[in-house]
Amino acid sequence: MSMKTIKSLGLASVILGVAGGIAINVAVAADFNASSPSWTGSYLGANVGYGWDSGGVDLSERSTDPALDGFLAAIAGIGLFPTSLSPKAQGVIGGGQVGYNWELQSGLVVGLEADLQASGIKGSLSEVRSPQFFDTTATGVGKQIDWFGTVRGRAGYLVNPQWLIYATGGLAYGKTSLNFNTADITSGCLADAFICADQTSSKVKFGWTAGAGVETMLAPNWSVKAEYLYVDLGHRSFDAVSNTPIIFTSSAAFHEQIVRVGLNYHFN
């Protein structure tokens, strides 16, 4: 049996499984919709989604040797190194959430939720420059969210017993990474002669998050949600030491936009 056939059978199995699950859920939901679910209680779930960060990385350089100040001014004037690059970090995220809801008499639902996410949000960009009378250089940056989490309040309104629309906001935290690299393509990386650097810095940052979503009870104890979050992990910078007395500073804001869907089991 060929690999293509195996993949086709695997895909067909997934499609049949999803179709079967949808059919079962529709049947259960048809019976369930006649009742009024309770939103009060604790819940546990999982989610998957996508995130992106379109912010750039600002670049600058300085020397630990005052004798090189004139040289740095000259290379800055001809644009040997870029002053900013936009790596456009993006990628898949996934994780879990836990929370508690209180359903009020007025149709309002308030609660608390915490989540922790594995993150594939990352991006890199390199730029080659060949100014007249200077070597060709390649300078690049990388930007990444390794993981993040939130602790949020939620407040929403029941459009009907099954459908909840809500706003959410609170604390955000996560591990951020920045990379800077530059190399002299023409002459190589001879110490104290040709400028080269390659360094990564990682740090856990704290910030805030806000967003909104919609959640619906599909069956007793089960709900699904779709959610948007803006996650602000602040601004950070780091110094990359080169093989010469020149230090490069990379600065970036970590402002992430997240869309995700989740499945919750309610213990009520």
Side-chain angles (χ1 to χ4, degrees), residues 11-26:
L11 179 60
S13 299
V14 171
I15 294 172
L16 288 173
V18 171
I22 292 173
I24 293 172
N25 283 333
V26 169

Side-chain angles (χ1 to χ4, degrees), residues 35-260:
S35 65
S36 295
S38 172
W39 288 82
T40 297
S42 59
Y43 60 89
L44 178 69
N47 68 79
V48 65
Y50 197 80
W52 65 95
D53 179 337
S54 57
V57 180
D58 294 326
L59 303 173
S60 62
E61 60 277 338
R62 70 182 190 276
S63 175
T64 57
D65 183 353
L68 292 177
D69 289 346
F71 170 72
L72 279 179
I75 64 175
I78 64 169
L80 183 62
F81 301 108
T83 58
S84 66
L85 291 170
S86 297
K88 296 183 179 179
Q90 55 190 319
V92 176
I93 64 165
Q97 66 271 351
V98 60
Y100 195 96
N101 288 323
W102 291 270
E103 182 179 348
L104 308 180
Q105 293 291 333
S106 57
L108 298 176
V109 175
V110 297
L112 295 171
E113 182 173 288
D115 66 88
L116 187 62
Q117 306 290 133
S119 170
I121 301 175
K122 60 182 178 181
S124 61
L125 182 66
S126 183
E127 186 173 298
V128 176
R129 294 195 171 188
S130 302
Q132 192 174 14
F133 305 121
F134 279 85
D135 287 357
T136 298
T137 62
T139 301
V141 296
K143 192 177 184 183
Q144 181 170 336
I145 303 292
D146 299 297
W147 56 263
F148 70 93
T150 71
V151 180
R152 294 170 286 108
R154 297 204 315 167
Y157 178 73
L158 289 171
V159 179
N160 61 43
Q162 278 78 41
W163 285 89
L164 172 71
I165 55 174
Y166 63 88
T168 183
L171 171 72
Y173 58 96
K175 185 180 179 183
T176 63
S177 294
L178 271 176
N179 170 265
F180 172 84
N181 60 84
T182 188
D184 189 314
I185 296 176
T186 304
S187 303
C189 294
L190 182 63
D192 295 322
F194 306 108
I195 305 169
C196 293
D198 190 349
Q199 194 168 335
T200 298
S201 173
S202 297
K203 186 176 182 180
V204 174
K205 294 283 290 180
F206 290 85
W208 60 272
T209 181
V214 60
E215 187 170 1
T216 181
M217 288 283 189
L218 286 182
N221 304 105
W222 289 98
S223 70
V224 294
K225 69 174 183 176
E227 187 174 67
Y228 166 83
L229 288 180
Y230 178 83
V231 178
D232 187 332
L233 293 177
H235 185 278
R236 61 179 299 247
S237 63
F238 88 102
D239 292 334
V241 179
S242 72
N243 61 343
T244 66
I246 295 176
I247 296 173
F248 294 88
T249 299
S250 302
S251 303
F254 287 84
H255 298 162
E256 319 307 315
Q257 299 193 66
I258 306 296
V259 289
R260 61 187 180 183

